[in-house]
Amino acid sequence: SLAGSVTKLELGEARAQVGELSLSLPPRGRATVELDSAEINFEGVGLANIRAAWSELGQAQVQHTGKRLTATLPPPPQSGSVTVCIGDMGQMTVTYDGKVDWASVSNQLLDDEAMYGPLLTLAAMVNLEFVISRALNFARVVRNVLRTEGIEEPKHIIPAERLARFFARSMLEFGTDGQHIPDPAPSTLERKLFEL
């Protein structure tokens, strides 16, 4: 059995390349992989519980040589770990072991150019910049509508009037990057949605 195995790595500079895309990791990172439990059945699948931890990771850099684009990714958490559980039928779950404030991370992704800038550059490398920029725009609009309408939980959107207003504002404000100041009176679209 491999259960109880521990692998410790100290990373030198690492580089991976696929076609015209390359990923470079700076030196000094440390990684530990622990195999808490592992079983392999006759089909080559079995239960496994793997924990991977890292520390001192630097900022990765992605380059597209043909398009001459470079994106320096935001720094990852300086240390952290993930647990990977593989079930007896091959199902897998991955859990980040630290605490993450997802609202803060998503707000930072939408508002901080140091976060969304590299994402847009990565998207441009694979010809998805338009799609990703529109998705970020729509996320900003939805966040603005939720904030200005006071919707904090799903139960706050249940009355039909509020649901119609949410959908109408989200559709009408698309393209405003979440900067629109709403009219308190119901729009024509809002009234039509409410009548459905």
PDB file of all heavy atoms in Angstrom, residues 54-58 74-81 96 98-100 105:
ATOM      1  N   TRP A  54       1.300  23.761  -0.438  1.00  0.00           N
ATOM      2  CA  TRP A  54       2.339  24.563  -1.072  1.00  0.00           C
ATOM      3  C   TRP A  54       2.695  25.741  -0.196  1.00  0.00           C
ATOM      4  O   TRP A  54       1.935  26.140   0.681  1.00  0.00           O
ATOM      5  CB  TRP A  54       1.884  25.052  -2.450  1.00  0.00           C
ATOM      6  CG  TRP A  54       0.722  25.999  -2.375  1.00  0.00           C
ATOM      7  CD1 TRP A  54       0.769  27.349  -2.205  1.00  0.00           C
ATOM      8  CD2 TRP A  54      -0.665  25.660  -2.435  1.00  0.00           C
ATOM      9  NE1 TRP A  54      -0.494  27.871  -2.156  1.00  0.00           N
ATOM     10  CE2 TRP A  54      -1.387  26.856  -2.306  1.00  0.00           C
ATOM     11  CE3 TRP A  54      -1.355  24.464  -2.591  1.00  0.00           C
ATOM     12  CZ2 TRP A  54      -2.778  26.887  -2.331  1.00  0.00           C
ATOM     13  CZ3 TRP A  54      -2.736  24.502  -2.615  1.00  0.00           C
ATOM     14  CH2 TRP A  54      -3.433  25.700  -2.481  1.00  0.00           C
ATOM     15  N   SER A  55       3.868  26.291  -0.447  1.00  0.00           N
ATOM     16  CA  SER A  55       4.293  27.518   0.234  1.00  0.00           C
ATOM     17  C   SER A  55       5.284  28.241  -0.659  1.00  0.00           C
ATOM     18  O   SER A  55       5.923  27.645  -1.531  1.00  0.00           O
ATOM     19  CB  SER A  55       4.913  27.203   1.599  1.00  0.00           C
ATOM     20  OG  SER A  55       6.081  26.432   1.439  1.00  0.00           O
ATOM     21  N   GLU A  56       5.382  29.525  -0.445  1.00  0.00           N
ATOM     22  CA  GLU A  56       6.343  30.391  -1.136  1.00  0.00           C
ATOM     23  C   GLU A  56       6.206  30.356  -2.652  1.00  0.00           C
ATOM     24  O   GLU A  56       7.193  30.438  -3.381  1.00  0.00           O
ATOM     25  CB  GLU A  56       7.777  30.024  -0.737  1.00  0.00           C
ATOM     26  CG  GLU A  56       8.032  30.169   0.753  1.00  0.00           C
ATOM     27  CD  GLU A  56       9.447  29.768   1.135  1.00  0.00           C
ATOM     28  OE1 GLU A  56      10.370  30.010   0.345  1.00  0.00           O
ATOM     29  OE2 GLU A  56       9.610  29.216   2.222  1.00  0.00           O
ATOM     30  N   LEU A  57       4.981  30.247  -3.140  1.00  0.00           N
ATOM     31  CA  LEU A  57       4.778  30.283  -4.584  1.00  0.00           C
ATOM     32  C   LEU A  57       4.873  31.715  -5.075  1.00  0.00           C
ATOM     33  O   LEU A  57       4.375  32.634  -4.444  1.00  0.00           O
ATOM     34  CB  LEU A  57       3.416  29.709  -4.963  1.00  0.00           C
ATOM     35  CG  LEU A  57       3.204  28.222  -4.739  1.00  0.00           C
ATOM     36  CD1 LEU A  57       1.808  27.831  -5.202  1.00  0.00           C
ATOM     37  CD2 LEU A  57       4.246  27.398  -5.476  1.00  0.00           C
ATOM     38  N   GLY A  58       5.486  31.896  -6.215  1.00  0.00           N
ATOM     39  CA  GLY A  58       5.576  33.217  -6.822  1.00  0.00           C
ATOM     40  C   GLY A  58       4.490  33.385  -7.872  1.00  0.00           C
ATOM     41  O   GLY A  58       3.624  32.529  -8.044  1.00  0.00           O
ATOM     42  N   PRO A  74      -2.087  37.060 -10.996  1.00  0.00           N
ATOM     43  CA  PRO A  74      -2.063  37.557  -9.621  1.00  0.00           C
ATOM     44  C   PRO A  74      -1.408  36.522  -8.712  1.00  0.00           C
ATOM     45  O   PRO A  74      -1.468  35.322  -8.987  1.00  0.00           O
ATOM     46  CB  PRO A  74      -3.541  37.726  -9.268  1.00  0.00           C
ATOM     47  CG  PRO A  74      -4.239  37.826 -10.583  1.00  0.00           C
ATOM     48  CD  PRO A  74      -3.435  37.000 -11.537  1.00  0.00           C
ATOM     49  N   PRO A  75      -0.766  36.970  -7.640  1.00  0.00           N
ATOM     50  CA  PRO A  75      -0.090  36.009  -6.763  1.00  0.00           C
ATOM     51  C   PRO A  75      -1.088  35.072  -6.094  1.00  0.00           C
ATOM     52  O   PRO A  75      -2.147  35.502  -5.652  1.00  0.00           O
ATOM     53  CB  PRO A  75       0.620  36.888  -5.735  1.00  0.00           C
ATOM     54  CG  PRO A  75      -0.095  38.190  -5.775  1.00  0.00           C
ATOM     55  CD  PRO A  75      -0.658  38.338  -7.151  1.00  0.00           C
ATOM     56  N   PRO A  76      -0.753  33.787  -6.048  1.00  0.00           N
ATOM     57  CA  PRO A  76      -1.629  32.848  -5.335  1.00  0.00           C
ATOM     58  C   PRO A  76      -1.437  33.032  -3.838  1.00  0.00           C
ATOM     59  O   PRO A  76      -0.516  33.728  -3.409  1.00  0.00           O
ATOM     60  CB  PRO A  76      -1.096  31.483  -5.791  1.00  0.00           C
ATOM     61  CG  PRO A  76       0.349  31.733  -6.079  1.00  0.00           C
ATOM     62  CD  PRO A  76       0.429  33.138  -6.603  1.00  0.00           C
ATOM     63  N   PRO A  77      -2.277  32.414  -3.025  1.00  0.00           N
ATOM     64  CA  PRO A  77      -2.021  32.461  -1.583  1.00  0.00           C
ATOM     65  C   PRO A  77      -0.608  31.934  -1.308  1.00  0.00           C
ATOM     66  O   PRO A  77      -0.184  30.955  -1.913  1.00  0.00           O
ATOM     67  CB  PRO A  77      -3.083  31.512  -1.004  1.00  0.00           C
ATOM     68  CG  PRO A  77      -4.149  31.440  -2.041  1.00  0.00           C
ATOM     69  CD  PRO A  77      -3.465  31.637  -3.350  1.00  0.00           C
ATOM     70  N   GLN A  78       0.138  32.614  -0.450  1.00  0.00           N
ATOM     71  CA  GLN A  78       1.525  32.223  -0.188  1.00  0.00           C
ATOM     72  C   GLN A  78       1.647  30.806   0.332  1.00  0.00           C
ATOM     73  O   GLN A  78       2.648  30.152   0.139  1.00  0.00           O
ATOM     74  CB  GLN A  78       2.181  33.202   0.789  1.00  0.00           C
ATOM     75  CG  GLN A  78       2.589  34.491   0.123  1.00  0.00           C
ATOM     76  CD  GLN A  78       3.595  34.251  -0.994  1.00  0.00           C
ATOM     77  OE1 GLN A  78       4.653  33.661  -0.785  1.00  0.00           O
ATOM     78  NE2 GLN A  78       3.269  34.690  -2.194  1.00  0.00           N
ATOM     79  N   SER A  79       0.636  30.346   1.009  1.00  0.00           N
ATOM     80  CA  SER A  79       0.635  28.960   1.463  1.00  0.00           C
ATOM     81  C   SER A  79      -0.807  28.483   1.479  1.00  0.00           C
ATOM     82  O   SER A  79      -1.736  29.276   1.569  1.00  0.00           O
ATOM     83  CB  SER A  79       1.268  28.818   2.843  1.00  0.00           C
ATOM     84  OG  SER A  79       0.510  29.530   3.796  1.00  0.00           O
ATOM     85  N   GLY A  80      -0.974  27.191   1.381  1.00  0.00           N
ATOM     86  CA  GLY A  80      -2.311  26.627   1.380  1.00  0.00           C
ATOM     87  C   GLY A  80      -2.242  25.161   1.045  1.00  0.00           C
ATOM     88  O   GLY A  80      -1.160  24.598   0.846  1.00  0.00           O
ATOM     89  N   SER A  81      -3.412  24.553   0.987  1.00  0.00           N
ATOM     90  CA  SER A  81      -3.446  23.138   0.640  1.00  0.00           C
ATOM     91  C   SER A  81      -4.816  22.783   0.083  1.00  0.00           C
ATOM     92  O   SER A  81      -5.802  23.473   0.316  1.00  0.00           O
ATOM     93  CB  SER A  81      -3.130  22.273   1.858  1.00  0.00           C
ATOM     94  OG  SER A  81      -4.104  22.443   2.860  1.00  0.00           O
ATOM     95  N   TYR A  96     -10.513  23.032  -1.086  1.00  0.00           N
ATOM     96  CA  TYR A  96      -9.469  23.942  -0.618  1.00  0.00           C
ATOM     97  C   TYR A  96      -9.537  23.956   0.892  1.00  0.00           C
ATOM     98  O   TYR A  96     -10.593  24.179   1.475  1.00  0.00           O
ATOM     99  CB  TYR A  96      -9.683  25.338  -1.212  1.00  0.00           C
ATOM    100  CG  TYR A  96      -8.640  26.340  -0.784  1.00  0.00           C
ATOM    101  CD1 TYR A  96      -7.331  26.229  -1.233  1.00  0.00           C
ATOM    102  CD2 TYR A  96      -8.954  27.395   0.056  1.00  0.00           C
ATOM    103  CE1 TYR A  96      -6.366  27.135  -0.844  1.00  0.00           C
ATOM    104  CE2 TYR A  96      -8.005  28.314   0.438  1.00  0.00           C
ATOM    105  CZ  TYR A  96      -6.705  28.172  -0.009  1.00  0.00           C
ATOM    106  OH  TYR A  96      -5.743  29.084   0.376  1.00  0.00           O
ATOM    107  N   GLY A  98      -8.148  25.950   3.146  1.00  0.00           N
ATOM    108  CA  GLY A  98      -8.148  27.229   3.842  1.00  0.00           C
ATOM    109  C   GLY A  98      -9.514  27.886   3.776  1.00  0.00           C
ATOM    110  O   GLY A  98     -10.452  27.384   3.163  1.00  0.00           O
ATOM    111  N   LYS A  99      -9.630  29.010   4.423  1.00  0.00           N
ATOM    112  CA  LYS A  99     -10.870  29.767   4.375  1.00  0.00           C
ATOM    113  C   LYS A  99     -10.757  30.795   3.265  1.00  0.00           C
ATOM    114  O   LYS A  99      -9.769  31.501   3.156  1.00  0.00           O
ATOM    115  CB  LYS A  99     -11.128  30.463   5.701  1.00  0.00           C
ATOM    116  CG  LYS A  99     -11.394  29.498   6.824  1.00  0.00           C
ATOM    117  CD  LYS A  99     -12.121  30.184   7.940  1.00  0.00           C
ATOM    118  CE  LYS A  99     -12.412  29.156   8.998  1.00  0.00           C
ATOM    119  NZ  LYS A  99     -13.769  29.139   9.389  1.00  0.00           N
ATOM    120  N   VAL A 100     -11.791  30.856   2.433  1.00  0.00           N
ATOM    121  CA  VAL A 100     -11.814  31.799   1.327  1.00  0.00           C
ATOM    122  C   VAL A 100     -13.068  32.643   1.456  1.00  0.00           C
ATOM    123  O   VAL A 100     -14.172  32.115   1.605  1.00  0.00           O
ATOM    124  CB  VAL A 100     -11.816  31.061  -0.036  1.00  0.00           C
ATOM    125  CG1 VAL A 100     -11.905  32.056  -1.176  1.00  0.00           C
ATOM    126  CG2 VAL A 100     -10.582  30.200  -0.182  1.00  0.00           C
ATOM    127  N   VAL A 105     -13.220  37.841  -2.980  1.00  0.00           N
ATOM    128  CA  VAL A 105     -12.461  37.437  -4.168  1.00  0.00           C
ATOM    129  C   VAL A 105     -13.195  37.852  -5.441  1.00  0.00           C
ATOM    130  O   VAL A 105     -12.593  38.387  -6.375  1.00  0.00           O
ATOM    131  CB  VAL A 105     -12.197  35.916  -4.154  1.00  0.00           C
ATOM    132  CG1 VAL A 105     -11.633  35.435  -5.480  1.00  0.00           C
ATOM    133  CG2 VAL A 105     -11.253  35.550  -3.021  1.00  0.00           C
TER     134      VAL A 105
END
